[in-house]
């Protein structure tokens, strides 16, 4: 056997690097199942869809449903609440995007873009700050300065369109994908 | 100080073992003859107390795991069954729950002691860093443990803390989902938190081993902050400090027992006796007392990402202290200016803790608490990033004593002992 040496490295150097590289790829591949098992399982991923009859909800009233483990707000707004929400200049909002899954991502946060029918607001009841459930304002117990919701955890305030107005939350309350099956029945998901 | 071993195996069996696994030699050198500064005060007994706390948490935790069920539908009732049905279950759970508070109380005293006497300075930087790592692991363990009873505070505390990760741009939402194993905190989350809550204490025990190993290379710092210069400066660890540690441990256990037997829910939150409800957030979410200062920082910043950065930075800063302090004098006893800033720091931490326990829009004594939290947060950061570096440069320290023996025994006695 004759040892050949080259400036670019020996055959043995190549074998070291090559086997090390194969080992590293193998180790990373073996690690992946242990990381990915933490992600939602097939059962959790199975798309959850709910249907609800909204006829009984009175103006000014909110009902809370459960959708994908989260509270789902369905609020029938009064005329005053709607006109209040409409009068807001979108350019003054902390989050100018509608965050409505029924619309393109870049839709502006006008009140019209926040609900399919103006009187019925359907929102995921999860504060976009750290995930608490905001408390809805009622005529006897106002929550915050904007007549919508106040999150008691860290003080985020939402208006009657569920848009963030004050506090640490970065985004408007999320509008889930939903549709009207009839005048009084909605399907979420 | 970890000089040559003084272990001298006598019997044939001891010699036989010593040549194969020198464990008796290790124990002899580290807990028996280990030369320890003769002037250690009460604040140096908390290392032993903390080891005791870790042991108590592991022992009671293993027992609780025999009766607990990590399932979102059963967890709350299984804890109630521990409290009502399991023999002495109430005692073991109350020891475990209050033990967490005692553990943190002891660790905070231990950390403030290290800060005051400059125990993080060369050559003890790694001891300090390992200590901060233990503290971080303790917070993670305590958080996972607090989720397990699956009460309202468990659930919403888990929701808020895991949502902190969603502040990370772009990938934050995916990280939160990955932590939950679902689209919200739920059964998958509870199960993995139980698994990690069981694992982490043993990791902590491992890092504690490293912490003590690193301590035994330069030996203990001491209230004077000066190096050991001669054997007159030290006494053997046993019996001097085994007995001193044991005495203060007894006092500590009395204090601990007073809570367990007379006010077992003192540190708890009544809302955690309400089963978890994903649709209703309690009016005020409050973490356990030992996390309140960080919580106050988070809430004092009106921006999600910045709040999370400020809170995380407060902990990351602790790792850097050995290099932020420019003074070569260790102990605050000889640092008249630093001593005042140190007590200011203690006050800032207590104020932050107080603010963290108030509701978000609270006004006390005509002062909005969020502003108190902001000022205290600024002081917290300024203490480490401005005061520690600058005071070290401008301060004139007092004269250091010649040796520990001279300081403790006086000039003549120290000379006589020579």
């Amino acid at each position: 056997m004759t040892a050949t040496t080259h400036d670019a490295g020996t055959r043995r150097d190549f074998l070291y690097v090559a086997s090390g590289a194969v080992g590293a790829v193998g180790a990373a591949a073996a690690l992946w199942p242990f990381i990915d098992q933490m992600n939602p399982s097939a059962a959790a991923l199975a798309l959850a869809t709910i249907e609800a009859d909204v006829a009984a909800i009175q103006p000014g009233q909110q009902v809370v449903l459960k959708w994908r483990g989260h509270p789902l707000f369905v609020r029938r707004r009064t005329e005053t609440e709607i006109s209040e929400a409409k009068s807001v200049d979108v350019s003054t909002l902390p989050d100018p995007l509608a965050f409505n899954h029924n619309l393109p991502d870049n839709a502006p946060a006008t009140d019209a873009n926040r609900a399919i029918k103006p009187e019925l607001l359907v929102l995921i009841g999860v504060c976009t700050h750290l995930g608490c459930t905001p408390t809805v304002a009622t005529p006897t117990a106002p929550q915050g300065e904007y007549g919508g919701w106040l999150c008691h955890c860290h003080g985020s305030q939402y208006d009657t369109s569920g848009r963030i107005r004050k506090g640490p939350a970065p985004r408007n309350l999320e509008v889930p994908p939903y549709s009207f099956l009839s005048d009084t029945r909605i399907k979420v998901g | 100080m970890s000089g040559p071993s003084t272990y001298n195996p006598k019997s044939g069996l001891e010699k036989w073992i010593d040549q194969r696994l020198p464990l008796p030699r290790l124990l002899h050198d580290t807990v028996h003859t280990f030369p320890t500064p003769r002037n250690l005060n009460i604040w140096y007994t908390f290392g032993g107390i903390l080891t005791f706390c870790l042991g108590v948490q592991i022992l009671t935790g293993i027992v609780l795991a025999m009766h607990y069920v990590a399932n979102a539908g059963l967890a709350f009732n299984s804890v109630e069954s521990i409290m009502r049905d399991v023999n002495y279950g109430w005692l073991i759970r109350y020891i475990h729950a209050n033990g967490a508070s005692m553990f943190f109380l002891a660790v905070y005293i231990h950390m403030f002691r290290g800060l005051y006497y400059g125990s993080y300075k060369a050559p003890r930087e790694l001891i300090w860093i390992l200590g901060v790592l233990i503290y971080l692991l303790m917070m993670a363990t305590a958080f996972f443990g607090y989720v397990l009873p699956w009460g309202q505070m468990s659930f919403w505390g888990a929701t808020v803390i895991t949502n902190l990760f969603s502040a990370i741009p772009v990938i934050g939402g995916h990280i939160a989902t990955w932590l939950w194993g679902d689209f919200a905190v739920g059964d998958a989350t509870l199960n993995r938190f139980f698994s990690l809550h069981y694992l982490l204490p043993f990791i902590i025990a491992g890092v504690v081993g490293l912490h003590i190993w690193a301590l035994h290379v330069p030996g203990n710092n001491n209230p004077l902050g000066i190096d050991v210069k001669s054997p007159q400066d030290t006494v053997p660890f046993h019996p001097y400090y085994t007995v001193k540690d044991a005495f203060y441990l007894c006092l500590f256990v009395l204090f601990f027992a007073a809570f367990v037997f007379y006010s077992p829910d003192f540190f708890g939150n009544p809302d955690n006796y309400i089963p978890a409800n994903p649709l209703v957030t309690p009016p005020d979410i409050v973490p356990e007392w030992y996390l309140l200062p960080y919580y106050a920082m988070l809430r004092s910043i009106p921006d999600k990402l910045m709040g999370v950065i400020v809170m995380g930075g407060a902990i990351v800063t602790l790792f850097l202290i050995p290099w932020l302090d420019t003074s070569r004098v260790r102990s605050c006893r000889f640092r008249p200016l630093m001593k005042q800033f140190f007590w200011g720091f203690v006050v800032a931490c207590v104020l932050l803790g107080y603010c963290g326990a108030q509701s978000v829009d609270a006004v006390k004594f005509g002062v909005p608490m969020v502003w108190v939290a902001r000022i205290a947060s600024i002081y917290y950061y300024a203490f480490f990033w401005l005061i520690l570096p600058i005071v070290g440069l401008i301060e004139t320290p007092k004269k250091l004593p010649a040796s520990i023996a001279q300081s403790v025994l006086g000039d003549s006695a120290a000379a006589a002992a020579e």
Side-chain angles (χ1 to χ4, degrees):
Chain A
M1 291 262 288
T2 53
T4 50
T5 52
H6 304 282
D7 287 343
T10 62
R11 179 180 141 84
R12 188 165 293 275
D13 287 338
F14 171 77
L15 287 173
Y16 279 146
V17 173
S19 48
V22 169
V25 170
L31 194 60
W32 177 246
F34 290 90
I35 294 171
D36 193 39
Q37 54 83 22
M38 296 267 285
N39 276 316
S41 67
L45 284 175
L47 187 65
T49 308
I50 58 164
E51 289 181 24
D53 190 337
V54 295
I57 306 172
Q58 297 302 309
Q61 189 193 10
Q62 167 184 285
V63 297
V64 181
L65 308 171
K66 192 175 175 184
W67 180 66
R68 286 192 187 170
H70 289 303
L72 185 82
F73 294 162
V74 185
R75 175 168 174 175
R76 191 180 294 281
R77 297 189 291 179
T78 61
E79 287 301 326
T80 345
E81 287 167 350
I82 297 170
S83 57
E84 227 174 82
K86 280 193 170 140
S87 66
V88 177
D89 178 6
V90 174
S91 63
T92 64
L93 292 170
D95 176 13
L97 295 176
F99 206 11
N100 182 341
H101 287 284
N102 308 291
L103 294 173
D105 282 351
N106 59 358
T110 56
D111 187 60
N113 279 348
R114 296 280 297 161
I116 294 174
K117 289 184 181 178
E119 69 275 14
L120 201 75
L121 206 52
V122 179
L123 301 168
I124 298 177
V126 175
C127 179
T128 56
H129 181 225
L130 295 175
C132 294
T133 304
T135 311
V136 67
T138 60
T140 47
Q143 303 287 341
E145 301 158 27
Y146 302 94
W149 289 264
L150 169 68
C151 182
H152 282 274
C153 289
H154 310 97
S156 293
Q157 299 187 17
Y158 297 89
D159 64 14
T160 52
S161 195
R163 295 173 298 201
I164 181 66
R165 300 297 290 275
K166 194 177 178 184
R171 302 214 62 183
N172 301 327
L173 289 178
E174 192 173 349
V175 182
Y178 71 99
S179 55
F180 281 85
L181 299 174
S182 71
D183 271 358
T184 60
R185 205 164 172 77
I186 59 167
K187 185 181 113 178
V188 184
Chain B
M1 285 196 33
S2 57
S5 174
T6 56
Y7 179 64
N8 185 20
K10 291 180 186 73
S11 68
L13 178 65
E14 284 175 284
K15 281 178 188 149
W16 187 89
I17 293 174
D18 191 50
Q19 284 163 0
R20 285 159 180 82
L21 180 71
L23 188 62
R25 178 181 295 277
L26 180 73
L27 290 176
H28 177 88
D29 292 340
T30 52
V31 299
H32 190 196
T33 59
F34 188 69
T36 314
R38 67 193 310 155
N39 60 337
L40 299 190
N41 57 22
I42 173 176
W43 307 113
Y44 281 78
T45 63
F46 281 87
I49 287 170
L50 283 161
T51 315
F52 170 82
C53 287
L54 179 62
V56 166
Q57 292 305 88
I58 289 178
L59 180 69
T60 51
I62 288 172
V63 171
L64 289 172
M66 294 177 186
H67 304 282
Y68 173 77
V69 185
N71 174 292
L74 304 169
F76 187 89
N77 286 343
S78 79
V79 171
E80 285 309 302
S81 130
I82 289 170
M83 294 301 289
R84 294 151 198 260
D85 304 340
V86 175
N87 299 330
Y88 292 102
W90 60 272
L91 177 64
I92 291 159
R93 175 166 178 257
Y94 276 149
I95 292 175
H96 196 73
N98 286 281
S101 281
M102 294 299 125
F103 204 161
F104 274 95
L105 179 68
V107 91
Y108 282 132
I109 294 173
H110 193 65
M111 291 167 80
F112 279 124
R113 188 270 290 156
L115 269 182
Y116 187 83
Y117 294 126
S119 303
Y120 48 84
K121 292 186 198 186
R124 296 185 180 82
E125 299 96 323
L126 280 180
I127 308 175
W128 174 265
I129 287 172
L130 287 166
V132 179
L133 188 63
I134 293 168
Y135 172 54
L136 203 57
L137 287 166
M138 279 173 63
M139 289 197 283
T141 312
F143 162 67
F144 290 140
Y146 194 61
V147 175
L148 302 185
W150 212 239
Q152 274 290 68
M153 277 297 158
S154 298
F155 183 90
W156 290 100
T159 298
V160 167
I161 300 292
T162 49
N163 263 306
L164 292 176
F165 292 91
S166 71
I168 300 168
V170 188
I171 55 165
H174 297 287
I175 293 179
T177 306
W178 180 74
L179 289 171
W180 295 328
D182 206 331
F183 298 104
V185 172
D187 195 41
T189 324
L190 176 62
N191 264 285
R192 63 189 56 183
F193 281 11
F194 178 57
S195 170
L196 295 172
H197 184 68
Y198 206 115
L199 165 72
L200 285 187
F202 298 98
I203 308 265
I204 291 177
V207 184
V208 167
L210 296 178
H211 188 65
I212 296 173
W213 187 6
L215 170 71
H216 280 238
V217 177
N220 290 78
N221 184 31
N222 63 83
L224 295 171
I226 58 175
D227 288 329
V228 166
K229 292 178 182 116
S230 71
Q232 277 78 45
D233 289 345
T234 66
V235 289
F237 189 80
H238 179 74
Y240 291 93
Y241 286 115
T242 45
V243 170
K244 183 166 183 156
D245 282 358
F247 174 72
Y248 285 109
L249 177 61
C250 289
L251 295 187
F252 184 81
V253 171
L254 276 179
F255 180 75
F256 187 165
F259 284 104
V260 170
F261 291 106
Y262 293 104
S263 192
D265 286 313
F266 180 82
F267 297 107
N269 190 307
D271 276 353
N272 223 26
Y273 284 106
I274 302 168
N277 181 353
L279 299 186
V280 180
T281 309
D284 284 305
I285 297 209
V286 188
E288 290 281 82
W289 68 269
Y290 39 80
L291 301 177
L292 287 174
Y294 300 111
Y295 192 63
M297 285 188 197
L298 172 77
R299 288 200 312 192
S300 68
I301 312 285
D303 178 86
K304 182 173 174 178
L305 180 58
M306 278 312 293
V308 174
I309 288 173
V310 165
M311 185 172 79
I315 297 167
V316 172
T317 298
L318 298 177
F319 284 102
L320 305 174
I321 292 175
W323 294 277
L324 291 172
D325 191 341
T326 51
S327 172
R328 291 169 69 185
V329 176
R330 292 197 188 103
S331 174
C332 277
R333 277 196 189 174
F334 305 103
R335 303 187 63 192
L337 198 51
M338 197 59 207
K339 189 189 271 186
Q340 294 172 33
F341 283 117
F342 169 83
W343 288 111
F345 177 69
V346 175
V347 170
C349 291
V350 172
L351 271 180
L352 278 170
Y354 178 78
C355 295
Q358 310 304 314
S359 65
V360 66
D361 47 3
V363 176
K364 292 283 161 85
F365 316 110
V367 185
M369 284 296 109
V370 67
W371 277 103
V372 177
R374 278 173 191 161
I375 290 164
S377 303
I378 290 168
Y379 187 87
Y380 181 102
Y381 270 90
F383 179 77
F384 293 119
W385 290 96
L386 294 175
I387 295 171
L388 271 184
I390 293 171
V391 171
L393 298 176
I394 61 170
E395 179 184 51
T396 312
K398 292 185 195 165
K399 189 174 179 299
L400 295 173
S403 72
I404 295 171
Q406 187 225 32
S407 168
V408 174
L409 306 171
D411 287 331
S412 53
E418 290 282 341

